[in-house]
Amino acid sequence: MVVLSKPALEQFSLIRSCKATSFFSGIPIIDLSKPNSNTLLVKACEEFGFFKVINHGVPTQFMTRLESEALKFFSLPQFEKEQAGPPDPFGYGNKRIGLNGDVGWIEYLLLTANSEFISQKSLSIFGENPEIFHSAVNDYISAVRMMACEVLELLADGLEILPKNVFSKLLMDEESDSVFRLNHYPPCPDLQALSGRNLIGFGEHTDPQIISVLRSNSTSGLQISLKDGSWVSVPPDQNSFFIIVGDSLQVMTNGRFKSVRHRVLANSLKSRVSMIYFGGPPLSERIAPLASLMEEGEESLYREFTWCEYKRSAYKSRLADNRLGHFEKM
Ligand code: GA4
């Protein structure tokens, strides 16, 4: 039997402290119940590729119930959690992210966001109380998918393009290749000894899909990169959702919306739990700029590709790679 050794702390990326405790106050906050949310959403996608939504309509109890189920799972003995691994592509993962050598101070569960798919292994993923955990995941994903679709429809409206479901239909498609991720960043007490440096929980990257919807508990750690390349800390808010523009939405808008680079830093005292829905298109979907968004004479910045091709190439990459770079026209 091959026993894989766990990476030691020295193998993790350490970065110089970047005033991680001072929060950035410029993150757009979009109130979905307000009539002008469509134009504000477009502006936020252009300027940051990132924003927070409030009055989102997702019941609080779906968020808290799933958080407590997730914590129950992550509190299981290590050998029990490992039964639900490795994440190939779905299952439990610990410290290793992807297949190409990335590591982070994190453990996680990767699940398909297509509720019909329950394999033998997915059942073991749901730990000691599979039915309860499974229904908490399903309720949460259904509500969050609906909210993500509302955001995408408001975006189409703000961009003045038709049909209004031009983006959202990709997430609603039965074949939609969407993923769900539960992350647990345990506190890292040794961090205090690293004086002035930070330990990476999840290394910098962009999300390959169309849109990601993130909810975390009240522990900080998430950072986004601004247009000038500087990193800022996002104030946590357990009652709201953060929306992340993915590479595919960048391509569909021919670069008008930017997929945002983001990362998570480990915390020395508190554990961070986050849950992210990654809304992706069907595998066969051609990802290209929407004709209705192109100005006269405007050319696509990207070569033609399907989501399947993009995903395959993404899974061969390292987290921090510029994945869209391979698909840009010279
Ligand atoms: C980033 C977004 C999602 O978390 C994810 C990640 C995936 C993984 O954890 O297996 C990837 C990463 C993500 C992008 C590049 C590849 C694939 C790890 C990695 C190094 C589930 C996804 O779809 O792409």
Side-chain angles (χ1 to χ4, degrees):
M1 189 179 69
V2 183
V3 179
L4 293 174
S5 61
K6 287 276 164 297
L9 200 57
E10 304 80 65
Q11 283 173 256
F12 291 88
S13 304
L14 297 167
I15 50 166
R16 243 168 236 302
S17 182
C18 41
K19 286 200 285 168
T21 42
S22 63
F23 290 124
F24 180 62
S25 58
I27 301 218
I29 302 175
I30 316 283
D31 183 339
L32 288 188
S33 68
K34 292 275 165 66
N36 64 342
S37 58
N38 52 359
T39 43
L40 296 179
L41 282 168
V42 169
K43 202 164 161 250
C45 289
E46 289 173 343
E47 283 182 12
F48 295 94
F50 185 85
F51 52 91
K52 168 165 135 173
V53 288
I54 59 171
N55 285 322
H56 45 69
V58 177
T60 308
Q61 94 206 48
F62 286 6
M63 294 142 82
T64 50
R65 185 161 69 117
L66 183 55
E67 181 182 332
S68 82
E69 285 302 318
L71 275 172
K72 265 191 234 162
F73 174 84
F74 290 121
S75 315
L76 290 173
Q78 193 58 34
F79 75 91
E80 271 186 56
K81 292 185 281 190
E82 301 285 359
Q83 315 255 296
D88 63 349
F90 301 119
Y92 172 77
N94 186 21
K95 303 211 169 63
R96 300 172 200 281
I97 299 168
L99 302 167
N100 307 308
D102 288 290
V103 291
W105 193 256
I106 187 177
E107 58 176 342
Y108 58 89
L109 270 176
L110 267 177
L111 308 168
T112 168
N114 177 351
S115 59
E116 274 77 72
F117 181 91
I118 309 172
S119 68
Q120 271 317 100
K121 189 171 132 199
S122 341
L123 281 176
S124 72
I125 285 174
F126 291 111
E128 288 180 330
N129 263 319
E131 288 80 22
I132 296 174
F133 197 176
H134 189 235
S135 93
V137 168
N138 272 349
D139 289 348
Y140 180 88
I141 293 180
S142 311
V144 164
R145 183 197 289 119
M146 242 166 67
M147 191 265 288
C149 286
E150 187 188 341
V151 167
L152 289 173
E153 288 174 17
L154 285 166
L155 278 173
D157 192 48
L159 288 166
E160 298 179 4
I161 51 170
L162 286 170
K164 75 169 189 177
N165 69 347
V166 63
F167 302 120
S168 64
K169 66 175 186 206
L170 303 172
L171 274 53
M172 290 314 290
D173 196 303
E174 262 181 39
E175 305 276 300
S176 152
D177 182 36
S178 298
V179 181
F180 186 61
R181 157 165 231 144
L182 288 167
N183 289 328
H184 176 223
Y185 300 91
C188 179
D190 295 351
L191 249 188
Q192 273 152 345
L194 295 173
S195 57
R197 284 182 301 171
N198 285 292
L199 180 66
I200 288 289
F202 204 113
E204 65 171 277
H205 66 286
T206 60
D207 292 345
Q209 291 83 359
I210 296 171
I211 200 174
S212 317
V213 182
L214 178 148
R215 187 265 174 187
S216 77
N217 66 357
S218 57
T219 304
S220 61
L222 178 63
Q223 297 192 321
I224 60 164
S225 160
L226 302 180
K227 275 187 175 161
D228 65 4
S230 61
W231 287 96
V232 295
S233 294
V234 177
D237 179 350
Q238 55 184 352
N239 300 310
S240 306
F241 290 96
F242 292 98
I243 310 274
I244 296 166
V245 170
D247 297 339
S248 300
L249 189 54
Q250 174 170 329
V251 174
M252 292 177 83
T253 58
N254 207 24
R256 184 160 161 190
F257 294 175
K258 290 275 178 302
S259 61
V260 63
R261 265 185 181 260
H262 55 287
R263 66 184 183 192
V264 176
L265 304 182
N267 192 293
S268 64
L269 301 170
K270 285 165 68 192
S271 76
R272 175 179 160 95
V273 178
S274 63
M275 31 190 94
I276 308 125
Y277 164 78
F278 301 93
L283 286 172
S284 58
E285 188 72 24
R286 174 177 160 266
I287 309 296
L290 295 174
S292 50
L293 276 180
M294 302 288 263
E295 307 278 340
E296 227 186 88
E298 184 177 341
E299 286 195 19
S300 171
L301 299 173
Y302 309 93
R303 287 195 283 115
E304 284 230 355
F305 59 90
T306 62
W307 169 242
C308 182
E309 285 165 334
Y310 192 59
K311 196 174 155 180
R312 199 176 302 137
S313 138
Y315 275 80
K316 286 189 197 139
S317 68
R318 296 286 302 256
L319 263 187
D321 289 351
N322 170 19
R323 278 173 281 284
L324 268 183
H326 300 291
F327 295 86
E328 275 160 13
K329 281 190 192 160
M330 286 300 133

